[in-house]
Amino acid sequence: MLDMPGPTAGPTAPDPAEVPSRARLSLFTAVVALGGLLFGFDTGVISGALLFIRTDFGLNSFEEGAVISALLLGAAVGALGSGRPADRFGRKKVLVAIALTFTLGLLAAVLARDFTGLVAARAVLGLAVGGASTVVPLYLAEIAPPNLRGRLVTANQILLTVGILVSYLINLWYADSADWRAMFAVGLVPSVAMLLGTLAIPESPEWLRARTATTDRARRPPGALLSPAARPALLIGMTLAAVQQFGGINSIIYYAPSIMARAGLPAADSITYSVVIGSVNVLATIAAVPLIDRAGRRPLLLASLGGMALSLVALGVAFGLPAGPATNVTALICMVTYVASFAIGLGPVFWILAAELFPPEARARGGAVCALVNWAANFVVGQMFLPAADLVGQAWVFAFFAAVSSSAVVFVLRTVPETKNRSLPEVQRELAERSGRRPADTVRAGSAAVPSVQG
């Protein structure tokens, strides 16, 4: 990934003759975006399956966290390691390999006979998830005409949330039978479909052109990621990547049924609540699509983080009250409000800013570092949430998440520029002014880089 162009970057605009028809473009998008669906499914399905796995395998809190975190650690490796193969062998071949890895990982999870086997299966799935998180949006951006690029890349994000919701529905379907193996097995349907479909898609025209563009690599100055022009973007990107996870979102996505079960609800009712949360996640993500360009990045970030902080404080208070129907309803409302606040702002805006803020010569490597920080923070939260909740109580853990979200409001106000309706050079000039550098230096720093294509 370190040498891979970002989703919004490319050496040249696509040749109109190379752009597929709308029907073929829709078909290619549907096939490749199955990677986003599987990304969401494999990260979400464990939330319900874990309720029954821990009984079958006799897991303690640390081992439950390991089952969750094995995927996250694998994803960090997959995200960082997918760029070089995608550049060397092509996007299509890597997408085929990702689909095959999804299939093998799901088969291994279905057939796992003990804790070690399940952790290994989850790590394999993580490799696929990490690769999909980088190569799927890259391919979609490179096959799209400029006027459709945003919609196609956003389709991947929407399908990710749909995958999470589907996993919750599958968990609910099999909750009465406690058949966690069947929960994993359902994922084989889209993984096999993706495997067969990616064998038939064309190679990215951008990658085909880049193979013969021998000057592109020479125009990427060494150390560009740590250059004065890139450092402000790196600070913002890495901080928001960490806030996304230490703000607590995946503690809700992964552990929603476990959280509600610890509050006194039966397992089936806990999974039902997680379906509500997953539905809100999808709807809020869809709502964010027009708002990002209308309201702007900064207002959405500030409203999102503020809503997250208030919801987390209320959630912590709810879990400190005696268990009962009123407490359970209050906790559900708080969790739904929190997820909606995240999905309409911090969730999508972070990934957009990671592509907009870096100068051209550092965009691919900057995105790689931001993704790595995001997965690493995700790993820590996934590993430590349940042990921390056992040690100090869920209320205090949510108070910590609230403190992170509140601090991020101050960070955004002080450092994050508004990028709505601004060209990338204009964004660079504002970052230069905020960091005390001369805007002209920023323009010169990016002028030798491969130009980006905006659509």
Side-chain angles (χ1 to χ4, degrees):
M1 182 173 174
L2 293 178
D3 296 321
M4 183 175 63
T8 58
T12 58
D15 189 324
E18 296 176 338
V19 176
S21 66
R22 285 292 185 97
R24 287 170 58 82
L25 193 61
S26 298
L27 178 61
F28 301 155
T29 301
V31 167
V32 175
L34 285 173
L37 180 73
L38 286 161
F39 179 167
F41 179 86
D42 288 320
T43 54
V45 71
I46 194 63
S47 65
L50 194 59
L51 295 172
F52 311 110
I53 292 171
R54 68 187 180 199
T55 300
D56 285 359
F57 290 167
L59 305 183
N60 57 36
S61 293
F62 180 83
E63 289 170 332
E64 288 182 56
V67 171
I68 295 285
S69 300
L71 183 141
L72 308 178
L73 191 60
V77 175
L80 193 62
S82 60
R84 288 185 183 276
D87 277 343
R88 182 174 180 182
F89 302 112
R91 312 325 189 201
K92 174 179 176 175
K93 291 180 179 178
V94 173
L95 285 168
V96 171
I98 288 169
L100 179 60
T101 306
F102 271 125
T103 303
L104 294 176
L106 285 164
L107 281 172
V110 171
L111 299 174
R113 295 302 173 189
D114 54 24
F115 165 72
T116 302
L118 185 60
V119 168
R122 293 279 295 171
V124 171
L125 285 171
L127 294 174
V129 166
S133 70
T134 55
V135 183
V136 168
L138 173 67
Y139 179 86
L140 293 178
E142 290 184 341
I143 67 168
N147 63 313
L148 296 178
R149 182 175 293 113
R151 273 176 273 181
L152 261 64
V153 176
T154 303
N156 179 63
Q157 182 72 15
I158 293 174
L159 277 180
L160 191 159
T161 62
V162 169
I164 294 173
L165 177 59
V166 168
S167 73
Y168 287 168
L169 292 171
I170 296 302
N171 289 344
L172 181 62
W173 182 266
Y174 288 105
D176 289 339
S177 64
D179 192 350
W180 60 267
R181 296 183 190 276
M183 296 175 183
F184 283 113
V186 172
L188 289 168
V189 176
S191 72
V192 171
M194 182 182 178
L195 178 59
L196 296 176
T198 50
L199 290 171
I201 63 173
E203 182 53 84
S204 158
E206 294 286 353
W207 180 78
L208 292 173
R209 278 195 292 272
R211 289 185 68 187
T212 60
T214 57
T215 60
D216 282 353
R217 188 176 299 275
R219 284 188 286 176
R220 297 178 187 174
L225 188 58
L226 298 179
S227 68
R231 282 199 294 265
L234 188 62
L235 172 64
I236 293 171
M238 291 176 64
T239 301
L240 292 181
V243 168
Q244 251 206 358
Q245 302 306 322
F246 287 109
I249 183 59
N250 280 320
S251 67
I252 304 296
I253 297 299
Y254 298 148
Y255 294 113
S258 296
I259 292 168
M260 300 307 292
R262 287 169 179 237
L265 286 178
D269 290 344
S270 300
I271 294 176
T272 301
Y273 280 14
S274 71
V275 171
V276 175
I277 292 169
S279 300
V280 170
N281 194 20
V282 173
L283 294 174
T285 302
I286 293 173
V289 175
L291 287 176
I292 286 171
D293 287 325
R294 292 177 184 174
R297 280 56 153 163
R298 271 172 60 93
L300 277 185
L301 271 180
L302 293 170
S304 174
L305 290 164
M308 288 166 59
L310 292 174
S311 302
L312 287 164
V313 169
L315 185 59
V317 171
F319 280 124
L321 298 175
T327 300
N328 293 336
V329 171
T330 301
L332 177 62
I333 292 173
C334 292
M335 291 171 74
V336 165
T337 305
Y338 169 81
V339 170
S341 298
F342 175 89
I344 209 165
L346 181 60
V349 171
F350 158 67
W351 295 105
I352 294 172
L353 289 176
E356 291 178 325
L357 294 181
F358 287 96
E361 72 277 7
R363 192 164 295 135
R365 281 165 284 182
V369 171
C370 292
L372 180 61
V373 171
N374 191 267
W375 283 114
N378 197 334
F379 173 83
V380 172
V381 172
Q383 183 67 41
M384 297 307 299
F385 175 73
L386 289 182
D390 286 342
L391 181 63
V392 300
Q394 291 188 141
W396 284 106
V397 175
F398 289 124
F400 169 78
F401 293 152
V404 171
S405 300
S406 300
S407 299
V409 170
V410 179
F411 177 83
V412 170
L413 285 171
R414 296 186 62 179
T415 66
V416 177
E418 178 55 69
T419 61
K420 181 189 73 169
N421 296 330
R422 293 187 178 182
S423 68
L424 297 180
E426 288 174 333
V427 173
Q428 290 301 301
R429 282 195 290 271
E430 178 164 345
L431 279 177
E433 292 169 358
R434 284 173 173 267
S435 62
R437 291 180 292 107
R438 293 181 300 166
D441 293 342
T442 305
V443 175
R444 285 197 296 270
S447 62
V450 178
S452 64
V453 178
Q454 300 182 64

